[in-house]
Amino acid sequence: MKVEKMVLASVTMKRDNVDGGSPIFICDTKEEMDKVAANLEAILDGISHALSDELYIIVKH
Amino acid sequence: MNEYTYPILFGVIIGVTIRLVMLRADYRQYPTYLHGKVIHISLGFIAASLGTIAVPAIMELEFTAVTFLTIAASQFREVRNMERNTLTELDAYELVPRGNTYIEGIAIAFEARNYLVIFTSLLATLSFLVWNIWVGIIISFVCFFIVRKFMSGKTLKDIVNIEYVQPHFEGAGLYVDNIYIMNIGLPQRQEEIGEYGMGFVLTPKNFNVRSTIANLGQRQAILHDISVSMGVFRDSGTPALVPLIKRDLDDGRIGVFVLPQERDKEKAIKIIGAVPVLENAIRMPSESKANKEEGGLK
């Protein structure tokens, strides 16, 4: 089976909101989150999607 | 030199000329390379020869000679395969790919053009032999105009109304008009999109068009053509900056989101209008029996 879309990483300020298999990056501020997500986006060739203000996921399309 | 020399020469020249006319390197950028051109002109020459020689062969009562036209048919199917393979290989390295439907359309066109060359040469030689060279020239011109008129196909401006809409964000969601495109999380990306992004809404003019522009291959063709003509603000490894087209499920309009390097609304609308309607994307629901009996779709 070919996986078309996949969550590669989660970036969050609320540790309790995220669980599961993908790597989780916990940040203290929104700025830090943006920075980490931007780097991850570039490194992983994925897109940062905002699920809420405190939670980004990096998805490979 | 015999009685057939000039008619054959005439037919071949007409055939190759017709092929040259159809071989324009346009914005589709293929074939732009000298070698690509040489291949197509050579095949055009072969097609012209086959079409031409069929006529004297029949006049000499060599009816079996017609069977070599079948060889021609398989030969030109090969041309279609060659086109398809080359373009599919190259497509993987395009920033905005053409898509398979577009490629298939181009491949079919190349095959069909060779058959047109055969027919033109055949008619030209036949009329030269039956009447004289002047009738041959007139017939060739008629063929030329028929080829020009009927082989150019429709473009998008015939089937949709195009209007510019500035894309906007609602939270992380990117919208063109009320059509949702995608979710962009990073504020930095959102700024880039605000700066470079352009949105267009294509409204279908009738019911048949809805399914045509909904076709994923047709949509990819639109994105490819805009990106080729106006440049594209993206690089490998930036999937967030990918141009996209999404559909409004309620009324079949499509929202085109692109990131061109050159931001000229009028020009972009012209370019979208000139995108060919792909043969493989055309659907005619209004022609179905059920719809005809019910009395039309809105």
Side-chain angles (χ1 to χ4, degrees):
Chain A
M1 193 185 82
K2 197 179 161 218
V3 179
E4 299 239 326
K5 288 175 197 273
M6 192 177 173
V7 180
L8 299 174
S10 315
V11 185
T12 185
M13 290 199 286
K14 284 188 179 170
R15 176 67 190 86
D16 299 338
N17 283 2
V18 196
D19 208 339
S22 75
I24 302 162
F25 297 83
I26 301 144
C27 305
D28 296 325
T29 59
K30 181 91 168 68
E31 286 68 42
E32 196 188 345
M33 250 176 77
D34 286 346
K35 215 169 161 185
V36 172
N39 274 330
L40 283 173
E41 191 180 272
I43 294 163
L44 298 169
D45 282 4
I47 305 182
S48 302
H49 295 297
L51 296 186
S52 68
D53 283 344
E54 292 97 23
L55 176 59
Y56 288 170
I57 52 171
I58 316 288
V59 179
K60 179 88 182 172
H61 286 275
Chain B
M1 295 284 269
N2 64 20
E3 63 195 292
Y4 295 126
T5 308
Y6 287 117
I8 287 176
L9 208 59
F10 175 73
V12 171
I13 289 170
I14 292 294
V16 174
T17 314
I18 287 272
R19 188 69 192 91
L20 280 173
V21 168
M22 289 190 282
L23 187 80
R24 287 168 306 171
D26 55 10
Y27 66 95
R28 267 156 271 182
Q29 298 297 313
Y30 192 83
T32 8
Y33 308 104
L34 191 57
H35 290 100
K37 278 187 180 155
V38 169
I39 291 172
H40 288 291
I41 294 168
S42 314
L43 285 165
F45 175 76
I46 295 170
S49 311
L50 287 169
T52 303
I53 290 165
V55 180
I58 292 170
M59 286 182 167
E60 294 292 323
L61 303 180
E62 298 282 350
F63 296 120
T64 46
V66 177
T67 52
F68 66 69
L69 286 179
T70 57
I71 301 170
S74 59
Q75 175 70 31
F76 295 124
R77 243 196 328 273
E78 228 14 72
V79 173
R80 179 163 152 192
N81 280 333
M82 176 192 83
E83 284 303 326
R84 184 194 296 125
N85 293 342
T86 318
L87 288 175
T88 313
E89 293 279 317
L90 295 177
D91 213 30
Y93 295 97
E94 297 271 358
L95 282 178
V96 180
R98 282 189 172 87
N100 285 341
T101 317
Y102 202 172
I103 289 178
E104 199 57 36
I106 296 174
I108 290 175
F110 273 112
E111 186 186 359
R113 283 170 184 185
N114 280 308
Y115 295 134
L116 289 174
V117 169
I118 295 186
F119 286 130
T120 309
S121 294
L122 194 131
L123 290 176
T125 317
L126 186 68
S127 44
F128 190 140
L129 282 168
V130 174
W131 295 290
N132 55 44
I133 188 166
W134 300 109
V135 180
I137 289 172
I138 291 166
I139 295 279
S140 309
F141 268 102
V142 172
C143 288
F144 171 74
F145 284 113
I146 291 175
V147 164
R148 280 302 284 272
K149 178 122 183 62
F150 291 104
M151 289 298 131
S152 49
K154 271 191 178 178
T155 53
L156 271 187
K157 64 176 176 298
D158 302 326
I159 65 169
V160 293
N161 294 317
I162 306 159
E163 95 188 273
Y164 176 81
V165 182
Q166 180 66 33
H168 66 278
F169 282 96
E170 286 174 24
L174 172 63
Y175 286 82
V176 169
D177 200 18
N178 62 342
I179 303 165
Y180 178 78
I181 304 289
M182 64 170 156
N183 179 310
I184 299 285
L186 291 178
Q188 185 196 339
R189 289 273 171 279
Q190 293 192 359
E191 273 166 33
E192 284 172 355
I193 284 170
E195 197 177 326
Y196 285 95
M198 290 175 89
F200 300 91
V201 171
L202 274 53
T203 316
K205 286 185 181 169
N206 63 49
F207 192 86
N208 290 335
V209 173
R210 280 192 190 188
S211 355
T212 306
I213 58 170
N215 183 292
L216 294 175
Q218 180 66 55
R219 296 196 216 171
Q220 193 60 41
I222 298 172
L223 294 177
H224 177 81
D225 276 5
I226 303 176
S227 306
V228 164
S229 305
M230 306 195 65
V232 57
F233 182 77
R234 96 167 280 230
D235 194 8
S236 63
T238 54
L241 298 175
V242 69
L244 276 176
I245 298 186
K246 294 285 177 188
R247 187 174 183 223
D248 185 339
L249 297 179
D250 286 330
D251 53 12
R253 292 176 309 148
I254 56 171
V256 181
F257 165 70
V258 283
L259 292 140
Q261 223 123 39
E262 192 184 337
R263 291 175 44 82
D264 184 336
K265 295 173 197 171
E266 294 305 312
K267 208 169 163 189
I269 288 175
K270 257 189 206 153
I271 288 164
I272 296 177
V275 173
V277 179
L278 302 181
E279 275 178 55
N280 298 318
I282 296 173
R283 296 286 176 279
M284 286 288 172
S286 66
E287 296 293 312
S288 94
K289 220 173 179 181
N291 284 332
K292 271 187 175 167
E293 281 166 8
E294 299 276 319
L297 288 155
K298 289 263 167 71

